Amino acid sequence: MGFFSFLTQEIAIDLGTANTIIICNDKIVVDEPSIVAIDRRTEKMVAIGEKARQMQGKTHGNLKTIRPLRDGVIADFNAAEQMIRGMIKMINKKPRLFPPSLRMVICIPSGSTEVEMRAVRDSSEHAGGRDVYMIYEPMAAAIGIGIDVEAPEGNMVVDIGGGTTEIAVISLGGIVTNKSIRIAGDDLTSDIQEYMRHQHNIKIGERTAEEIKIQVGSALSELEEPPNDFRVQGPNQMTALPIEVPVSYQEIAHCLEKSISKIEIAILSALEQTPPELYADIVNRGIYLAGGGALLRGLDKRLTDKINIPFHIAEDPLRAVARGTGIALKNVDKFSFLMR
């Protein structure tokens, strides 16, 4: 079997709207932004991941940067396939006589339709996957956080990613109630862009808005350890002259209010559908937050105050889903909830 194991490679992929993480042999081997740069004339891929992200918003006529995933699902089939293939090539740096046949576990949003699941499977198979298994994101996040998902007890996970927020109650290796809403990191970023345009008359790109969210993003307008104001530079919309505006975390908390309220409503609606026995488990244990959105300052405190159930942020929330997918890869034969 030694020779065949050389020909087969097992990888776990967290195919995210914002970042793609690949795990191979229990190690994170690729952690790159989900962006590709493509030459318009030849349709060939020029750059991928971080290199393509640096080109974002700075390309000329013959180049375009594409984010192949929107709202957690594949929006551009061709670009997604090129991206998966390119990222898999990053693992196998050494040239090989035969490319290895891949056994993959890929995670997908829990609200995916048959068509969206088919798109992920087809892209993975075209990129060289021979055995492709799929796992729902909240399930992967729960495994990554270290929850025993097959135990007869209720656990609730809220995974706030780039394109979707996944809310699920998990018990006995299955999802009991789930809610997947398309309000997540990307929407918070565009809220900030919109706010800067209306309030300060300044035009900013997606990357700058993302930077503001990381530096001064907050879910509460009163923080114990407030971050310093962030200075934003850009053109004035009226005069096109350069201006510099300091942005405080209170302003950002105010402009993200609407989107965060929608996430709160979705969590409450998932709790409403939860059977009472599991509800009692969740109240005792608390709710786990994973995904990049969990890093928003004060979000756990705000949700705890609003819903009266303690919220815990997973350790390294950005990689919780990827870790869980990696564990699922090792237990492909044991976990009955993986989908072929």
Side-chain angles (χ1 to χ4, degrees), residues 1-2 18 52 58 68 102 150 170 210 232 244 251 259 296 304:
M1 283 299 287
K58 300 180 178 182
L102 300 168
E150 293 184 308
I170 291 164
E210 179 81 20
V232 183
E244 190 178 82
E251 282 185 83
S259 295
L296 193 67
T304 303

Side-chain angles (χ1 to χ4, degrees), residues 188 191-192 217-218 252-261 296:
L188 302 182
D191 286 349
I192 292 172
S218 166
I252 301 303
H254 168 70
C255 92
L256 300 180
E257 176 65 38
K258 219 152 119 200
S259 295
I260 294 171
S261 299
L296 193 67

Side-chain angles (χ1 to χ4, degrees), residues 105 143 324-338:
V105 176
I143 298 170
T325 314
I327 296 166
L329 175 68
K330 291 200 309 222
N331 297 297
V332 162
D333 308 325
K334 190 176 133 226
F335 286 165
S336 53
F337 47 79
L338 293 174

Side-chain angles (χ1 to χ4, degrees), residues 93-282:
K93 294 264 171 48
K94 298 177 195 146
R96 287 184 172 192
L97 194 56
F98 304 105
S101 70
L102 300 168
R103 186 182 206 186
M104 308 183 179
V105 176
I106 270 193
C107 55
I108 52 171
S110 58
S112 300
T113 61
E114 281 293 319
V115 175
E116 289 162 353
M117 284 162 75
R118 178 98 234 169
V120 173
R121 184 179 286 118
D122 288 354
S123 287
S124 314
E125 283 171 355
H126 287 175
R130 192 191 47 160
D131 276 348
V132 179
Y133 294 87
M134 289 189 279
I135 180 172
Y136 285 131
E137 266 166 35
M139 196 62 139
I143 298 170
I145 290 167
I147 296 169
D148 178 4
V149 290
E150 293 184 308
E153 48 199 28
N155 285 294
M156 190 172 192
V157 175
V158 179
D159 173 30
I160 307 171
T164 55
T165 294
E166 309 277 324
I167 303 154
V169 175
I170 291 164
S171 170
L172 291 167
I175 291 178
V176 184
T177 55
N178 80 306
K179 191 110 181 103
S180 178
I181 58 166
R182 303 207 161 169
I183 289 188
D186 286 352
D187 297 84
L188 302 182
T189 307
S190 54
D191 286 349
I192 292 172
Q193 276 180 290
E194 191 71 12
Y195 174 82
M196 296 302 287
R197 210 166 60 230
H198 278 295
Q199 200 66 26
H200 293 294
N201 235 337
I202 181 174
K203 209 170 172 186
I204 58 168
E206 202 175 307
R207 275 181 62 185
T208 309
E210 179 81 20
E211 188 68 18
I212 295 173
K213 183 174 75 182
I214 293 167
Q215 300 295 339
V216 290
S218 166
L220 289 172
S221 53
E222 292 296 324
L223 285 179
E224 284 170 13
E225 296 175 6
N228 295 331
D229 288 2
F230 182 71
R231 306 195 81 74
V232 183
Q233 293 168 327
N236 182 321
Q237 280 198 295
M238 301 300 200
T239 60
L241 295 172
I243 48 173
E244 190 178 82
V245 180
V247 180
S248 69
Y249 77 93
Q250 282 110 336
E251 282 185 83
I252 301 303
H254 168 70
C255 92
L256 300 180
E257 176 65 38
K258 219 152 119 200
S259 295
I260 294 171
S261 299
K262 286 182 185 162
I263 294 174
E264 278 172 4
I265 292 164
I267 295 173
L268 285 168
S269 132
L271 281 167
E272 242 168 62
Q273 301 161 3
T274 306
E277 297 293 332
L278 296 177
Y279 195 102
D281 286 345
I282 292 166

